[in-house]
Amino acid sequence: MMKNRWPAAYQVIEKLEYAGFEAYVVGGAVRDFIRGVSANDVDVTTNATPNEVKQLFEHTIDVGIEHGTVLVVVKESIEVTTFRSEDTYSDYRRPDNVMFVRSLQEDLQRRDFTMNAMALTKKDELIDYFDGRADIKQKLIRAVGDPNKRFSEDALRMLRAIRFSAQLDFSLHVKTLEAIEMQHKLISRVSLERVKVELEKIWTSNYVGKGMHLFVTSKLAINFPGDWKTYLDKWNRFLMFENVANGWTFFALMQQSNDINTLLNFYKCSNAEKMHVKQVLLAVEKLKKGQWTTYDLFQFKEEVLVAAAYYAEIILDMNTPYEKNDIPRLKAAIPIASSREIAVNGNELMEWKQEKRGPWIKEVLEKLTIAIVNGQVENERAQIKEWFFREYDN
């Protein structure tokens, strides 16, 4: 029962109903309930206006009150949104005006897909005007009503359809797919930040290959720079290691262009993401020589090496000598994990050389790091001192 499954949502609905309003759980939580999986976020819709909601609950936060949404804080936070219908979408993303309505059906019919346009009462009674449950059973993503209208209202819905396909292993209803193919150019009106989020959600899904295949075959991909098509089949073997930067790395390795930085800038990648991509590409270049040196293994982080070895094999068809478990073992065998672990510091070097601080210290420490990593000198003070006087005669 909802009371046990989603106690905070149940409490909100009960209080709204006691005050004479209608209230239901809607959206992804209902979809997941029908699918028999746990829901992370539970949203409530009601015919109470935002001000009426605020008068009923002691602790509320205005998170999107102009669109009818108030965050109600009980044992946890629940988004409560007033039934609404929407005006024209001149920017193909957000409604120009939002009108509050008193009809649940009118509210649900503005939503994107049938599987997201169902409501659940506090007694777990399903309200399903658009056959969302039947579509879930058939593993179908189908737009509510006219798909061309849905996508011209909010062009991001086209990419969301593909992302849901990758997450749920659902297929697109033929009319929905045809509408995306027809309206694909509208996706260029959506901000790159939103597009980036959806692409990254595809890459963290269980069915990445399916999602990327739809991204290309639906024609959405042709609106974005880069070669999405040549190595399309490679996405079937894509593995996400540490973070979403790996998706951009995988994409970067597929490109024929040398100007990867410009491409990543276009997609609004962060400096950390760009650095990860740069490091993996550099590690792959070194791997083309046959295998990494001990110093290569020292220089690169474990996640960079793991990604480089795997992606080089998948995308470039290289026979790399490394299994995933080899890399942490090889790195652990190196005497130091970082130059910060060296047993002496700059002050000791100045004392030994009787010379003031300067760029020479950095040069010595770099050379010393290489010597320790390669086993030419032990990371022990007396051994290092002996090495220093041998290399740097006063």
Side-chain angles (χ1 to χ4, degrees):
M1 292 293 291
M2 187 185 293
K3 187 174 185 178
N4 301 320
R5 187 175 60 253
W6 303 321
Y10 182 90
Q11 182 183 340
V12 169
I13 291 172
E14 195 168 49
K15 191 162 187 175
L16 283 163
E17 287 184 344
Y18 186 78
F21 299 106
E22 294 178 47
Y24 311 89
V25 169
V26 288
V30 183
R31 179 191 70 231
D32 291 342
F33 172 73
I34 297 300
R35 293 176 57 237
V37 299
S38 299
N40 294 323
D41 297 314
V42 183
D43 298 329
V44 168
T45 189
T46 179
N47 59 350
T49 66
N51 284 332
E52 289 169 334
V53 172
K54 291 178 66 160
Q55 287 169 14
L56 273 177
F57 295 93
E58 288 182 15
H59 190 183
T60 63
I61 303 168
D62 296 351
V63 292
I65 197 164
E66 69 280 5
H67 295 113
T69 302
V70 174
L71 197 67
V72 173
V73 182
V74 283
K75 289 181 179 177
E76 57 188 81
S77 299
I78 300 291
E79 274 195 10
V80 178
T81 303
T82 303
F83 297 168
R84 70 189 199 196
S85 67
E86 294 164 348
D87 202 352
T88 54
Y89 291 69
S90 55
D91 67 352
Y92 302 97
R93 181 71 189 97
R94 297 176 185 84
D96 297 325
N97 292 295
V98 169
M99 291 80 70
F100 300 142
V101 296
R102 294 290 185 176
S103 160
L104 174 64
Q105 185 168 354
E106 197 173 350
D107 177 84
L108 294 176
Q109 71 186 16
R110 70 175 173 81
R111 295 174 184 261
D112 52 7
F113 309 111
T114 59
M115 64 181 187
N116 296 332
M118 299 178 291
L120 203 64
T121 71
K122 70 178 184 184
K123 294 180 180 178
D124 283 348
E125 297 162 335
L126 185 70
I127 299 168
D128 182 13
Y129 298 114
F130 310 104
D131 296 326
R133 177 156 55 182
D135 286 341
I136 289 173
K137 189 174 181 181
Q138 295 180 63
K139 302 183 75 173
L140 272 181
I141 297 168
R142 180 165 59 93
V144 176
D146 178 1
N148 285 293
K149 185 179 180 184
R150 292 288 84 79
F151 298 143
S152 62
E153 288 170 346
D154 181 353
L156 187 65
R157 286 170 172 167
M158 296 187 286
L159 193 49
R160 276 168 55 84
I162 287 164
R163 185 253 292 177
F164 280 128
S165 177
Q167 289 177 327
L168 306 177
D169 193 24
F170 281 21
S171 300
L172 299 192
H173 185 274
V174 62
K175 295 293 184 186
T176 298
L177 180 56
E178 285 173 358
I180 295 175
E181 292 169 351
M182 188 180 300
Q183 305 264 24
H184 71 87
K185 290 181 181 177
L186 293 181
I187 196 69
S188 61
R189 309 286 186 96
V190 177
S191 74
L192 259 301
E193 289 85 354
R194 300 305 298 268
V195 170
K196 181 175 186 283
V197 167
E198 293 298 327
L199 282 172
E200 290 170 354
K201 284 181 178 179
I202 292 172
W203 296 337
T204 55
S205 299
N206 289 327
Y207 304 93
V208 179
K210 183 171 193 169
M212 295 312 295
H213 183 265
L214 273 173
F215 181 57
V216 171
T217 57
S218 68
K219 300 182 183 176
L220 286 179
I222 65 176
N223 296 283
F224 302 102
D227 183 354
W228 295 99
K229 191 175 180 181
T230 303
Y231 301 99
L232 183 57
D233 62 313
K234 303 291 186 182
W235 287 103
N236 290 315
R237 295 181 65 191
F238 171 71
L239 283 183
M240 177 70 73
F241 293 109
E242 293 295 316
N243 50 54
V244 292
N246 280 288
W248 294 110
T249 304
F250 204 79
F251 171 65
L253 277 166
M254 293 178 177
Q255 307 308 308
Q256 306 303 315
S257 167
N258 292 322
D259 195 4
I260 298 300
N261 204 55
T262 298
L263 204 55
L264 298 179
N265 283 335
F266 175 87
Y267 289 103
K268 311 290 186 182
C269 289
S270 67
N271 288 336
E273 287 166 344
K274 287 186 285 188
M275 179 57 70
H276 182 87
V277 173
K278 181 181 176 182
Q279 288 287 296
V280 175
L281 295 186
L282 184 58
V284 168
E285 283 303 308
K286 290 180 176 291
L287 194 53
K288 287 178 180 177
K289 297 174 184 176
Q291 64 182 43
W292 289 310
T293 65
T294 305
Y295 192 67
D296 291 334
L297 292 166
F298 166 80
Q299 273 190 309
F300 294 112
K301 292 180 180 178
E302 183 180 318
E303 61 264 28
V304 168
L305 294 165
V306 169
Y310 182 77
Y311 295 161
E313 192 171 307
I314 298 306
I315 299 171
L316 306 179
D317 299 317
M318 290 171 56
N319 289 319
T320 62
Y322 304 101
E323 297 291 334
K324 184 179 179 181
N325 294 331
D326 291 338
I327 290 167
R329 177 178 54 78
L330 290 167
K331 281 188 74 69
I334 299 171
I336 54 174
S338 140
S339 55
R340 292 189 295 273
E341 295 179 7
I342 293 177
V344 301
N345 57 39
N347 291 332
E348 288 167 291
L349 296 179
M350 287 189 292
E351 182 186 326
W352 292 345
K353 198 174 183 184
Q354 291 294 296
E355 191 170 320
K356 291 181 179 179
R357 188 177 299 277
W360 68 271
I361 293 177
K362 183 182 177 183
E363 292 171 11
V364 171
L365 288 174
E366 285 176 353
K367 192 170 182 180
L368 177 57
T369 300
I370 294 170
I372 293 171
V373 166
N374 289 329
Q376 295 162 337
V377 60
E378 286 186 35
N379 187 30
E380 189 271 322
R381 191 176 185 278
Q383 292 273 345
I384 292 171
K385 188 173 185 179
E386 184 182 322
W387 170 89
F388 178 80
F389 282 109
R390 188 169 65 247
E391 294 288 327
Y392 297 91
D393 191 328
N394 283 331

